Amino acid sequence: MISLRPVLNVLGFLYVGLATAMLIPAIVDVAQKNADWQAFVFSALLTGMVGMLLSLAVGGALLEGLDTRQTFILTTLAWSTLPAFGALPFLWLGIDYADAVFEAVSGFTTTGSTVLTGLDSLPPGLLVWRSIMQWMGGVGIIVMAIVLLPFLRIGGMQLFQSENSDRSEKIVSRSVELIRLLGLAYVFLTVLCIASYLATGMDLFDAFNHALTTISTGGYSTHDKSFGYFTNPASGWVAIFFMIIGSLPFVLLIQALRGHPILLWRDPQVRALLGFLALVSLTMTVYLGINMHFPFDDALLKATFNVVSIVTGTGYAMGDFSEWGAPVVGVTLMLMFVGGCTGSTTGGIKMFRFLVFFGTVRAHLRRMVRPHRVMSEEYAGTRLTQDLSFSVLAFLVVYMGSVGVITVALSFFDLDLVTAISAAATSVGNVGPGLGPVIGPAGHFAPLPDGAKWLLSIAMLVGRLELFTVLVLLDPDFWSK
């Protein structure tokens, strides 16, 4: 029988931490003489009380007592319940329940899809809360990758572990030091991003909010026009740089900050990601210059910004790229399936998985030509096992199948094909805006039926949990002794 006491204890601490974070937008509203601070204070009191009672009820079971199965349960419960408490301030301010949960889920999963309009006139505390949810979600994603994904064997994080051969039951204590360094690096990069935005002329409020949602590759903005609101091209290039930073493996970023930047470049998935972004951005730049008659500097900025934003799953928009012609729409839909690197804040199909997939296909083709030849694929000097290759291929099948099933389900809500398939792809991939006049970069998800919003909320959670984290809980063997 799996003991849930340590799981509930950790959940209690997480709720208390969330309650503490709710006080930040309350302080912002008080400073701005906005009465909405009450929504955050009462939400914090309720969330904190639940958290403390939960920890007290289980008698303070220790975090070090978590084994593999308990960690799977904790991860799923944390990502499922934190948005429920995060939605409380939205409910207090009169936002519909389905919309409030959708906004909170989109925030914590760093998807960036929104149901809110008139962002420029919303209370400052609410805007800050949206950014904080994404910032906390971003660091939570990396922690999940470090602690959990090595046991799923679908993400490649086991290749970054010095204790790859140690599959002992106690898994959290081995990662505590790495998580501490991760937190310091995450805060440092956030502060650096704030300073960079300020240097481009952003005011402190915009710089703070956009730094939180850039490093987390979340994409919530304080303006309806998203990054199209800012006229200084330097702000766009700063965003591009830090979106790319957020899409790199944080394990390697930590090593780079500690004096070993060459380790980043040696990672094949980093080189593949940067090369892919450069190729697609330059191709789209040429297209915008020739077909849309954009000046070169404007075409380069907008093409690079939107390509990086989509691939990293940030979801910022600079202009309505759905109006740039059918080829751009087609490329955008393809990019929704491509993600950043393993161990980053991004969603989608990570670059590591594509490398394993193409390596497996290449090896299969070679075996067709020379059936008796023994071949092995390597990644950064490490041999890729058949188990890892099979796990990645299984993930790709389940990922594409999930997008297909959700697309069909959305069609029952009378959504057109472009809206349905882009909504499914952007939700499972945690990208942000979809395609079409309703949920495109110039639109929002508010017009969708409540049933579609609930379905997409589930899709965002399942996508953020890397699919198999949820599926493994449905296996009867998981619950057996």
Side-chain angles (χ1 to χ4, degrees), residues 150-467:
F151 294 87
L152 285 174
R153 297 192 297 278
I154 58 173
M157 279 306 296
Q158 60 268 41
L159 298 179
F160 294 111
Q161 287 192 323
S162 60
E163 299 177 353
N164 184 36
S165 60
D166 179 13
R167 295 277 178 115
S168 60
E169 284 295 297
K170 310 302 181 185
I171 66 175
V172 176
S173 58
R174 295 189 281 120
S175 308
V176 170
E177 177 61 18
L178 183 56
I179 291 172
R180 183 185 70 83
L181 293 174
L182 160 68
L184 292 175
Y186 196 70
V187 171
F188 170 75
L189 291 172
T190 303
V191 173
L192 185 61
C193 188
I194 293 174
S196 300
Y197 278 140
L198 289 173
T200 66
M202 276 193 193
D203 61 47
L204 180 59
F205 184 78
D206 279 341
F208 174 81
N209 282 280
H210 286 86
L212 264 59
T213 59
T214 302
I215 288 297
S216 64
T217 60
Y220 274 159
S221 178
T222 55
H223 304 284
D224 285 326
K225 291 184 178 181
S226 190
F227 242 83
Y229 174 85
F230 303 105
T231 57
N232 188 352
S235 299
W237 288 111
V238 167
I240 290 170
F241 175 78
F242 282 100
M243 283 189 289
I244 293 175
I245 290 294
S247 68
L248 301 179
F250 264 74
V251 173
L252 297 182
L253 280 176
I254 292 171
Q255 293 176 321
L257 291 173
R258 300 180 78 180
H260 304 284
I262 191 63
L263 294 177
L264 264 175
W265 182 248
R266 287 177 180 173
D267 188 351
Q269 66 172 332
V270 173
R271 298 198 301 269
L273 174 64
L274 296 179
F276 179 77
L277 290 175
L279 176 62
V280 179
S281 298
L282 289 175
T283 302
M284 191 170 291
T285 298
V286 173
Y287 172 84
L288 292 179
I290 295 176
N291 291 70
M292 305 301 294
H293 308 294
F294 282 27
F296 175 76
D297 56 342
D298 189 37
L300 181 63
L301 173 59
K302 289 183 176 178
T304 306
F305 184 96
N306 287 301
V307 168
V308 171
S309 178
I310 296 168
V311 171
T312 62
T314 307
Y316 288 141
M318 183 177 285
D320 188 356
F321 50 78
S322 63
E323 297 180 349
W324 295 348
V328 174
V329 174
V331 170
T332 299
L333 181 61
M334 177 197 72
L335 294 179
M336 287 182 180
F337 292 89
V338 182
C341 298
T342 292
S344 69
T345 62
T346 61
I349 302 174
K350 304 293 194 301
M351 196 59 63
F352 170 82
R353 292 166 184 153
F354 279 112
L355 293 178
V356 173
F357 171 74
F358 290 129
T360 303
V361 171
R362 182 171 59 247
H364 179 68
L365 292 176
R366 289 175 177 175
R367 280 192 294 268
M368 291 176 64
V369 178
R370 296 179 176 87
H372 303 294
R373 182 177 176 182
V374 178
M375 302 177 189
S376 62
E377 292 295 321
E378 292 187 350
Y379 178 90
T382 302
R383 182 176 176 274
L384 297 178
T385 64
Q386 289 186 350
D387 181 45
L388 176 59
S389 297
F390 177 80
S391 297
V392 170
L393 292 176
F395 176 87
L396 294 176
V397 171
V398 173
Y399 189 99
M400 300 304 294
S402 299
V403 173
V405 169
I406 294 170
T407 299
V408 173
L410 289 173
S411 67
F412 285 95
F413 295 98
D414 294 328
L415 302 183
D416 62 89
L417 180 60
V418 172
T419 300
I421 192 172
S422 64
T426 195
S427 296
V428 176
N430 304 124
V431 177
L435 296 172
V438 179
I439 62 171
H444 49 83
F445 285 71
L448 299 186
D450 284 352
K453 293 173 186 174
W454 283 111
L455 178 60
L456 292 176
S457 296
I458 295 172
M460 287 187 280
L461 286 171
V462 172
R464 178 47 67 201
L465 288 168
E466 301 282 352
L467 301 172

